Amino acid sequence: LKGGEADAVTAARVIERCAVGDLFADSRFLSADSLAHLVNALSLESASAATTGNGSERALLVRVWVLELMTSVALSNHARIDLLWPRLREHLGSLLAPRGSVDAMGQGGLGALVTPPPVALVERAAVCTLRLCIRLLHKPSLQPQLLELLGALLQLPPQLFAPLAERIGTGLLLLLRANAPHMAATEPANGDAPAAATDPAADPRVPDAGGGGGGGGGVTH
């Protein structure tokens, strides 16, 4: 092998021996500080891909990968979600909140969103948001903020919402089945969340998911 190829092979072997995948799979064993630093590092990596990737396919894959990892780590550490939630909430909000919406999610950094993210990334953000809601809506401290994320999801521009409508409708039905008692007992943030956040039929953009899941139904993957 030439010098460059040999270095690449060596680097690949070192990475394999480090078992980086185990770091995420076993993140529940990390200390609080290490866990927070891990999620922060993931968020920074996604931001770097967004600003330096020039819209390339690789940059998109990195951002999708990071979002999936952040969500999986959060769900694996649901007992310590308060450590991770501010960064994850901001990250999801930056993908779902309308352009320039600084106040909607309570995070000033969200106003920096200049152009809509790719549909594939919004689709992942929608799925991750629904997964988090299904698993965490029973936590009173998170309910208002999770409903805010749902509100942002349901207020996506039509060109982003339309390709995802069936999957979102299915996810909302699963959310209702899993958390109806919690949602019925929750006062939405700011006095009124969008009606579709608690009733999918209230949003004309959401098809009837009860008639058979075609396409990309489901939010578990």
Side-chain angles (χ1 to χ4, degrees), residues 119-134:
V119 173
L121 186 58
V122 175
E123 184 267 344
R124 283 292 96 191
V127 169
C128 290
T129 295
L130 290 166
R131 287 176 62 197
L132 289 164
C133 287
I134 290 169

Side-chain angles (χ1 to χ4, degrees), residues 24-91:
F24 300 103
D26 298 329
S27 61
R28 63 189 181 280
F29 299 118
L30 293 175
S31 68
D33 286 344
S34 296
L35 184 61
H37 285 308
L38 173 62
V39 172
N40 287 341
L42 287 171
S43 182
L44 291 173
E45 179 61 27
S46 179
S48 176
T51 56
T52 64
N54 297 320
S56 68
E57 182 178 357
R58 182 181 183 279
L60 174 59
L61 290 175
V62 167
R63 297 177 72 188
V64 169
W65 175 73
V66 165
L67 183 57
E68 291 280 4
L69 282 179
M70 290 179 70
T71 303
S72 295
V73 168
L75 292 175
S76 295
N77 292 272
H78 57 86
R80 300 189 288 175
I81 190 64
D82 290 342
L83 291 172
L84 315 176
W85 180 244
R87 176 69 80 171
L88 181 56
R89 177 197 182 204
E90 183 176 10
H91 191 75

